[in-house]
Amino acid sequence: MEAPLTDAEIRIAPNGPYLVSGGLALSEQALGLDDAGNTWEFVATGVEFPVAGDSYALCRCGASANKPFCDGSHARVGFDGTETASRVAFAAAAEQIQGPRLDLADNPPLCAFARICDGHGRIWDTITSADDDATEAIVEHQGSACPSGRLVVTPHGGDEPLEPAYDPSVVLLEDPQENASGPLWVRGGVTVVGADGTAYETRNRVTLCRCGQSANKPFCDGTHAHVGFRAHD
């Protein structure tokens, strides 16, 4: 488990919202395309969400009329927010793939359907042949840009993963290519505490469901794209 970089945390209310404390910055970004049409980067949308004070509650059920904030709709719709995600540590649960320069740890249940891993060759294929600088850079980007932290890339035989440096923050992730609103992208070592009071493993990158329909709650499993969840409608 990574040491938390901040005292801020996100607590999950039973069948209710995400209770954010500690003054975490809240912003919105969208998945963007590169010149070849691959989903490859994150682009600020310019949409701002003013937050009063150090604490706020974010909708988890997907039904709030005041998204991204909770308006109590979870009670009206009878939201079942039962957490079903595994508590097994990432390193113990992940599949391992070794390459000549980089190694990949992959935990598929955490996939949030960002698709950066598919551009310029699927990471699972290219990592085994990434023996030149250009291909190595592609694989490193694919792994470190995975918002959910499903994919973690490490120098071959090394112990320290290649992780981007993030300030503790929450990003509302939009997916224009799928015409859908994606997960809450929690960055920078923020601890997420379950409704039972037990903390999940603290990691640099996690994605939390905000459509209310993930089968891997509290984490996103990509269902938002399949159901066409829209936060701005």
Side-chain angles (χ1 to χ4, degrees), residues 104-120:
L104 175 67
D106 177 18
N107 191 341
L110 298 178
C111 183
F113 196 57
R115 307 181 302 284
I116 292 173
C117 52
D118 291 330
H120 302 279

Side-chain angles (χ1 to χ4, degrees), residues 106-184:
D106 177 18
N107 191 341
L110 298 178
C111 183
F113 196 57
R115 307 181 302 284
I116 292 173
C117 52
D118 291 330
H120 302 279
R122 300 176 72 251
I123 190 172
W124 300 272
D125 301 324
T126 54
I127 196 167
T128 59
S129 59
D131 57 0
D132 61 85
D133 292 347
T135 309
E136 180 181 5
I138 289 172
V139 170
E140 180 177 344
H141 175 76
Q142 289 174 315
S144 62
C146 170
S148 70
R150 166 190 172 171
L151 304 174
V152 175
V153 172
T154 305
H156 179 62
D159 296 324
E160 293 297 323
L162 299 171
E163 284 287 328
Y166 290 125
D167 291 330
S169 56
V170 179
V171 172
L172 307 164
L173 195 56
E174 291 289 313
D175 189 343
Q177 289 73 51
E178 293 292 324
N179 193 30
S181 297
L184 302 176

